[in-house]
Amino acid sequence: AQSVSQHNHHVILSEAASLELGCNYSYGGTVNLFWYVQYPGQHLQLLLKYFSGDPLVKGIKGFEAEFIKSKFSFNLRKPSVQWSDTAEYFCAVNWKAAGNKLTFGGGTRVLVKP
Amino acid sequence: ETGVTQSPTHLIKTRGQQVTLRCSSQSGHNTVSWYQQALGQGPQFIFQYYREEENGRGNFPPRFSGLQFPNYSSELNVNALELDDSALYLCASSLKGQGQETQYFGPGTRLLVL
């Protein structure tokens, strides 16, 4: 079965620190890749997405992610976090051969200390 | 805000009962997907509806069923509720046919089964 893994369950860092969240997925052919964020008390929001082309994609709020095909990875980065980045982050993969369903990783809870 | 709305926001049921959850898709979208998010986990795909027919199903038993209406809104029905059905149920809408389908999520319905 296809799977998505996020390496860190919890991350705690201080404001202005850099953030990198790992996401790996199993082989299954062509993929579309997504990062969603869930702020406390809010619904899942799209941060960024990759379909094709430049493997470095930029999203909202200063986030970016890099697709490395050879490593089956799609890691999320932000150079300098703010307290408002405290949230849970989910990586999601759509294997085109499996239709349009999204398979999510288990999520990473990020706490940014002021 | 994505424009995807769900009702009710919270629901308490007892084992064996039946429940219906509702979702209105974002304007211009023709596809609705349903996900179950258990506490501390990533969302799990239940099924997707397109043109009023089921268009893909995850690993959920037949007591989970759905409908899509001509206005693209959707219902999720769960029969014979079990304690493990307690979760946040998420609806996502998207536009099929572009080749780069992106799902946008509603706020969810939190179901507690006692």
Side-chain angles (χ1 to χ4, degrees), chain B residues 3-5 23-27 29-32 71-74 93:
Chain B
V4 181
T5 60
C23 170
S24 291
S25 58
Q26 185 171 314
S27 177
H29 286 181
N30 57 15
T31 303
V32 173
N71 67 354
Y72 306 120
S73 65
S74 177
S93 76

Side-chain angles (χ1 to χ4, degrees), chain A residues 43-107:
Chain A
H43 61 277
L44 269 175
Q45 298 174 35
L46 180 69
L47 262 183
L48 48 77
K49 58 188 176 181
Y50 173 81
F51 291 111
S52 62
D54 188 345
L56 185 62
V57 292
K58 295 192 184 299
I60 61 171
K61 305 187 180 186
F63 285 90
E64 64 179 30
E66 185 176 13
F67 169 49
I68 303 180
K69 189 176 180 180
S70 60
K71 294 186 178 180
F72 302 98
S73 71
F74 189 55
N75 292 352
L76 181 71
R77 297 193 292 252
K78 184 169 184 178
S80 175
V81 295
Q82 300 173 316
W83 174 79
S84 58
D85 293 321
T86 294
E88 188 157 20
Y89 293 81
F90 292 95
C91 178
V93 179
N94 161 229
W95 283 270
K96 289 187 178 178
N100 289 311
K101 71 173 188 177
L102 293 177
T103 301
F104 283 82

Side-chain angles (χ1 to χ4, degrees), chain B residues 30-32 47-56 66-69 72 74 96:
Chain B
N30 57 15
T31 303
V32 173
F47 43 54
Q48 184 180 86
Y49 276 82
Y50 171 61
R51 290 185 175 175
E52 302 177 51
E53 292 192 358
E54 191 179 283
N55 181 48
L67 283 173
Q68 187 182 31
F69 300 99
Y72 306 120
S74 177
K96 191 177 294 297

